[in-house]
């Protein structure tokens, strides 16, 4: 007796496989597009990068928030874990500085993640819940450094978030050396005391570097 399945069940199986394949293509493409352009990128750009029709993108993710959640829920959890690791460092200043350097690079490499962390992009409940966990984690990092007497008492977790957002805009993804220069400047400003200014890494920024920072700000006005 033949065991070949026929009828609606057999016809549905390839469709399910195709749907799952399209979902994976869309997520991979959206990750690249949002990392490079931020969350303002349209579904048409994502569809082109994925090699599917824009209608397929809308069928899989009817709202932008659905796609944002699928992409960034785990990434936010990873950021929270990194903050908690920094707050647990027995050297509070090293923990804070290490997190600032890591955070600036992570946001520079992924503009979409930077917007999600700043709550500038839409997301569903689980993304919002991740952001809700992030703020007290950064606050604990700040309090840890303040309790050790190495961080100014008037600094808040929001100051840290703003500093990271600004520094991440400096240079393209390859200019980690230039961002490190500004992390160093920020850390000197955050410190309770310094015997002398910390030597700055990297050469001074150029006017072209400044233009790279100003141009995105103008686009979002």
């Amino acid at each position: 007796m033949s065991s070949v399945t026929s009828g609606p069940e057999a016809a549905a199986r390839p469709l399910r496989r195709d749907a799952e394949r399209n979902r994976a293509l869309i997520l991979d493409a959206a990750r690249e597009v949002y990392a490079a352009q931020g969350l303002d990128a349209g579904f048409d750009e994502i569809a082109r990068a994925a090699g599917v029709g824009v209608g397929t993108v809308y069928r899989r993710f009817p709202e932008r928030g659905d796609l944002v959640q699928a992409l960034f829920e785990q990434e936010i959890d990873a950021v929270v874990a990194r903050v908690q690791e920094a707050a647990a460092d027995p050297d509070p200043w090293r923990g804070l500085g290490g997190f600032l350097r890591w955070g600036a690079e992570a946001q520079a490499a992924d503009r979409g993640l930077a917007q999600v962390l700043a709550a500038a992009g839409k997301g569903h409940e689980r993304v919002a819940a991740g952001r809700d966990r992030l703020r007290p984690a950064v606050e604990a990092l700040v309090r840890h450094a303040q309790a050790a007497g190495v961080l100014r008492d008037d600094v808040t977790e929001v100051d840290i978030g703003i500093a990271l957002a600004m520094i991440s805009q400096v240079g393209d993804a390859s200019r980690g050396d230039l961002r490190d220069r500004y992390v160093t400047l920020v850390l000197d400003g955050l410190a309770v005391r310094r015997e002398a200014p910390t030597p700055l890494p990297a050469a001074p920024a150029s006017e072209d570097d400044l233009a790279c920072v100003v141009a995105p700000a103008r686009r979002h006005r």
Side-chain angles (χ1 to χ4, degrees):
M1 180 180 294
S2 173
S3 60
V4 175
T5 303
S6 59
E9 182 181 355
R13 286 175 182 167
L15 179 62
R16 286 197 294 268
R17 287 196 294 268
D18 286 347
E20 186 57 36
R21 173 180 171 274
N22 286 340
R23 185 178 189 277
L25 288 172
I26 291 165
L27 287 173
D28 287 345
R31 186 172 288 107
E32 293 183 5
V33 170
Y34 283 159
Q37 302 180 33
L39 300 180
D40 291 336
F43 274 13
D44 54 342
E45 295 176 79
I46 294 170
R48 283 196 297 272
V52 301
V54 69
T56 301
V57 179
Y58 278 105
R59 281 193 297 274
R60 301 306 302 168
F61 301 100
E63 299 179 7
R64 185 183 299 269
D66 298 320
L67 183 52
V68 168
Q69 176 164 290
L71 283 173
F72 293 110
E73 182 182 1
Q74 291 185 340
E75 280 80 355
I76 292 176
D77 288 343
V79 175
V80 172
R82 192 62 183 251
V83 179
Q84 292 171 337
E85 179 184 341
D89 193 315
D91 182 335
W93 189 250
R94 181 179 61 194
L96 178 63
F99 172 69
L100 281 174
R101 289 187 168 86
W102 176 84
E105 290 309 298
Q107 293 190 43
D110 192 335
R111 301 302 185 191
L113 176 63
Q115 287 179 274
V116 167
L117 292 177
K122 294 180 180 180
H124 285 188
E125 290 81 4
R126 293 198 299 273
V127 169
R131 284 196 298 258
D132 289 344
R133 290 174 53 221
L134 180 59
R135 182 165 182 167
V138 178
E139 183 178 11
L141 174 64
V142 167
R143 297 291 176 262
H144 183 49
Q146 289 171 335
V150 295
L151 177 65
R152 294 170 50 145
D153 287 338
D154 53 356
V155 171
T156 71
E157 69 279 1
V158 177
D159 294 322
I160 299 300
I162 290 174
L164 281 175
M166 292 189 299
I167 295 169
S168 71
Q169 295 294 319
V170 177
D172 59 26
S174 68
R175 292 305 310 272
D177 60 328
L178 190 56
R179 284 183 291 277
D180 192 36
R181 178 183 178 89
Y182 291 100
V183 170
T184 302
L185 282 169
V186 167
L187 285 170
D188 268 16
L190 293 174
V192 169
R193 65 186 65 84
R194 274 283 189 261
E195 293 182 2
T198 305
L200 292 177
S206 68
E207 291 186 4
D208 288 341
D209 295 319
L210 176 61
C212 289
V213 177
V214 173
R218 285 176 174 168
R219 286 199 301 269
H220 288 88
R221 284 180 183 173

